[in-house]
Amino acid sequence: MTVRLGDVISYLDTTLEIAKFRDYGPNGLQVEGSPEVDKIVTAVSATAEVFERAIELEADLIVTHHGLIWGGGINRVTGTTANRLRMLLTRSVSLAAYHLPLDAHMRLGNNVGLADAIGLQGTRRGFGEVRGHTLGLLGTWSTALSRDAAIARIAAGVGQESLPFVFPDGPESVKTVGLCTGAASDLLEAAAAEGCDLYVTGELSERSAALARELQITLVAAGHYATEVFGVQRLVDELRMKFAGLHVEFVDVPTPI
């Protein structure tokens, strides 16, 4: 099945409500290629390895969480930026990216995906304002878990045998959990203020360990990449359902960070 690039981008822009976000970079179409799309690849980040895999799969459009353009835009087309753009433009492959909108979405987003993966119930937005949006989710387990069991459940939920960093400074019994995927350790104090026994994110800042100890909350870093696969994976089914017959595939290029 062939669809128009503009139709796919319009659907994603509207569904993820990008107009509501003041993000760190532009959401939506970042690099325009062919006006028609037969195959879409989703991935976490816009890297050369992802582009290589997408080109091998003959994708016309790549949809990522972490895009190619940040801040004020591209100031110089040199080095890795030039190489990545060359890979796309010489093959007329388009790139779209959805950052905070794909974290926040309560059906398709990274945060709700992680909450589902670790079995939280009653999940709701509850803390942690990021650029005008409350991103942190609160949830509970139906039965309180021991701290070790809670940590093991999180590891299983992100497909890891062991987690990058765990600071077990919270109570022995864990009932209320706060979470925000990616590099969101700055929301730790807000999670503690909401009465969380444990807070899970992806990547930590240096000050996080001491802060968790002082707040007496267990802090878990489950990996930036590992906590942010959920949104782009859910977009696969979403796009297949909306554009029946369109080939859509998730490309996994994991990193230990």
Side-chain angles (χ1 to χ4, degrees):
M1 176 184 178
T2 299
V3 300
R4 291 181 55 81
L5 172 66
D7 292 341
V8 177
I9 298 302
S10 177
Y11 179 74
L12 290 172
D13 288 356
T14 301
T15 300
L16 297 175
E17 301 179 300
I18 67 170
K20 294 182 177 181
F21 289 83
R22 181 174 54 86
D23 211 334
Y24 300 96
N27 289 296
L29 188 64
Q30 292 194 347
V31 179
E32 185 174 4
S34 171
E36 295 186 336
V37 175
D38 291 311
K39 186 176 292 186
I40 299 173
V41 157
T42 73
V44 174
S45 297
T47 64
E49 186 174 356
V50 165
F51 294 174
E52 287 169 2
R53 294 274 297 277
I55 290 166
E56 288 172 2
L57 292 168
E58 299 182 340
D60 307 292
L61 169 63
I62 304 168
V63 179
T64 65
H65 176 50
H66 303 131
L68 192 60
I69 302 171
W70 297 95
I74 296 176
N75 295 319
R76 297 182 182 181
V77 183
T78 59
T80 57
T81 299
N83 182 55
R84 291 174 180 179
L85 284 171
R86 187 181 302 112
M87 294 173 73
L88 297 174
L89 294 173
T90 58
R91 295 168 179 84
S92 294
V93 178
S94 300
L95 171 69
Y98 298 92
H99 186 231
L100 292 182
L102 196 55
D103 288 321
H105 199 276
M106 288 301 291
R107 180 171 59 86
L108 300 171
N110 289 318
N111 287 336
V112 73
L114 177 59
D116 290 346
I118 65 176
L120 291 181
Q121 299 178 354
T123 307
R124 61 180 177 84
R125 289 195 185 101
F127 67 95
E129 186 174 298
V130 178
R131 293 197 162 226
H133 285 266
T134 300
L135 294 186
L137 296 189
L138 293 167
T140 60
W141 283 306
S142 56
T143 303
L145 300 179
S146 71
R147 189 170 56 203
D148 288 345
I151 292 166
R153 180 172 291 195
I154 293 166
V158 297
Q160 306 282 344
E161 291 186 7
S162 61
L163 296 167
F165 292 99
V166 175
F167 298 95
D169 296 302
E172 290 282 352
S173 178
V174 178
K175 179 76 171 180
T176 302
V177 176
L179 66 83
C180 189
T181 64
S185 59
D186 284 347
L187 305 190
L188 178 61
E189 285 187 272
E194 290 295 328
C196 293
D197 304 307
L198 181 150
Y199 176 64
V200 57
T201 186
E203 183 181 348
L204 302 181
S205 60
E206 183 276 336
R207 60 187 175 276
S208 302
L211 192 58
R213 184 170 58 251
E214 293 169 28
L215 293 169
Q216 295 187 305
I217 182 173
T218 292
L219 173 62
V220 175
H224 196 136
Y225 183 95
T227 60
E228 295 203 323
V229 298
F230 301 102
V232 286
Q233 287 176 337
R234 290 185 173 201
L235 286 182
V236 172
D237 290 336
E238 180 74 9
L239 290 170
R240 285 174 178 170
M241 182 174 62
K242 173 62 179 179
F243 302 98
L246 185 66
H247 183 93
V248 190
E249 182 175 341
F250 168 64
V251 168
D252 191 19
V253 182
T255 75
I257 298 172

